[in-house]
Amino acid sequence: MALPEREERSFWIDGDRLRTEPVPGADLVVDGGWLLPGLVDAHTHPGTESLEDPFGDETLRRHLTDHRDAGVLLVRTPGSAARIPAWVDEDPAMPRVRSAGRWLATPGRFFPGLGRDVSESGLVRAAVEEAQASSGWCKVIGDWKHNEPALPLEILTAVVQAVHAVGGRVAVHCQTSEGSRNAVVAGVDSLEHGMHLDPGLIDRMAAQGTAFVPTLSVFGAGAESKRAAEPSAARDWWLAGWEAMLPNVRAAHEAGVTVLAGTDSFPCGTVASEVEWLVRAGLPAEAALGAASWSARSWLGLPGLVDGGPADLVAYETDPTLDASALAHPSRVILRGRVIA
């Protein structure tokens, strides 16, 4: 059964392409079960695991392999400590990657030296450079500490206009109310986290096509420790934002915003947990699964299970819309026409 259509269909693989007509000499690799376009993690940072660990090829390969073995065959890296090296695209055993180049951070708005530190006056030029040097994306740190100002709206608007002018797209990290507002009003292409997003902006996001990547699983994992922490302004601010996130995600979906699954956490290959959180937020199971598969692939410019499309697919013995945890246990993984597992 092929998803999302829920139709019994047969596919053949010709090189790295899917075909709906028989290919002579083909071997049977999947018989029955449920077929999905390869899973997608729309917010992951492979290549380094902590502030102390340098970005490296060995770690990057391990992280991408973990994604692939879990059926995540397309990843989007909205910001990294270094640009994704060319060998990733050249290696047929690696998932497809859509990179936003290096994080772009203005003074005081990120971990010093982890991304590309730029002045506010130099941000527009740097954003265009990163977009053109990567997969067409750039990533801007739109805010940082809860009690400090976000990147000014006029600067972020100029970034969006300049990057769009060269055919690129802009992702923005934002967790404060001001940062989220500025990102939406500036017309960014994706809102990353959006912890204190004003629900009054959701209709505007839908109208202009701003996607929402809430990364619920990484926040959910830290919620209990935050509640147990000593009271402080930062703790109360964080908890207030977390309490609003699930209702905002549901409202965004209902308004027609493209909601995508991204983990922003380690280990890699755990996008199934983000799907479970999207369901918990109130998305229908099929929409939550699409956020980590066909909807995300379409948003990133790749088709699903169609004739001539990329032969990137995962198979399951049971319907993953009935049990999101099944996503962590594919029965078959096929990447670029090659059987991985």
Side-chain angles (χ1 to χ4, degrees):
M1 193 75 70
L3 289 172
E5 295 83 1
R6 293 185 171 275
E7 298 176 351
E8 290 189 9
R9 302 174 65 190
S10 296
F11 295 98
W12 285 261
I13 295 174
D14 184 11
D16 65 351
R17 301 284 105 183
L18 281 179
R19 299 298 175 194
T20 54
E21 295 296 329
V23 172
D27 296 322
L28 182 66
V29 294
V30 178
D31 186 10
W34 298 80
L35 292 179
L36 310 188
L39 299 181
V40 182
D41 190 329
H43 188 125
T44 179
H45 302 294
T48 184
E49 296 182 351
S50 70
L51 299 178
E52 294 76 28
D53 294 332
F55 183 95
D57 284 4
E58 182 178 344
T59 303
L60 177 61
R61 184 179 295 277
R62 174 166 52 84
H63 286 165
L64 291 176
T65 299
D66 288 344
H67 275 306
R68 181 204 68 192
D69 291 350
V72 178
L73 307 183
L74 172 61
V75 302
R76 171 175 172 261
T77 63
S80 178
R83 292 176 183 155
I84 300 297
W87 64 259
V88 172
D89 287 336
E90 297 166 357
D91 188 338
M94 292 290 99
R96 302 177 194 271
V97 175
R98 297 293 181 266
S99 169
R102 291 172 286 180
W103 289 289
L104 294 171
T106 50
R109 294 193 179 98
F110 202 44
F111 303 108
L114 186 60
R116 178 177 174 181
D117 296 322
V118 297
S119 64
E120 290 187 353
S121 62
L123 182 60
V124 171
R125 178 178 177 181
V128 170
E129 289 174 351
E130 292 300 323
Q132 292 180 322
S134 64
S135 301
W137 282 91
C138 71
K139 167 74 171 290
V140 176
I141 306 299
D143 58 31
W144 197 233
K145 297 181 179 179
H146 74 283
N147 57 353
E148 294 185 358
L151 183 69
L153 173 60
E154 61 272 19
I155 296 176
L156 190 52
T157 300
V159 166
V160 172
Q161 292 173 346
V163 172
H164 285 180
V166 297
R169 302 167 86 182
V170 182
V172 173
H173 163 104
C174 47
Q175 292 181 206
T176 69
S177 177
E178 181 190 15
S180 296
R181 174 193 173 276
N182 288 355
V184 174
V185 173
V188 304
D189 298 281
S190 70
L191 197 70
E192 311 294 319
H193 313 304
M195 194 178 202
H196 284 262
L197 172 66
D198 179 354
L201 294 168
I202 287 174
D203 285 342
R204 181 167 183 162
M205 291 174 65
Q208 68 192 24
T210 297
F212 190 12
V213 193
T215 63
L216 294 174
S217 49
V218 71
F219 288 110
E224 288 306 314
S225 62
K226 285 290 185 181
R227 291 189 183 99
E230 289 293 323
S232 68
R235 168 190 174 273
D236 294 345
W237 168 85
W238 194 98
L239 288 174
W242 169 242
E243 292 301 322
M245 285 195 78
L246 269 64
N248 272 350
V249 169
R250 177 175 180 171
H253 168 73
E254 292 176 346
V257 173
T258 296
V259 177
L260 300 174
T263 58
D264 192 28
S265 61
F266 298 102
C268 292
T270 59
V271 77
S273 66
E274 186 67 14
V275 173
E276 292 176 349
W277 272 105
L278 292 176
V279 171
R280 200 176 306 181
L283 267 67
E286 193 157 315
L289 181 55
S293 181
W294 55 85
S295 299
R297 293 179 76 86
S298 175
W299 187 73
L300 288 168
L302 285 176
L305 303 181
V306 298
D307 187 69
D312 299 344
L313 62 157
V314 285
Y316 299 89
E317 294 181 355
T318 58
D319 182 353
T321 65
L322 300 180
D323 179 10
S325 66
L327 286 179
H329 307 287
S331 59
R332 185 72 77 196
V333 176
I334 300 173
L335 172 62
R336 306 176 199 263
R338 302 172 62 197
V339 177
I340 301 298

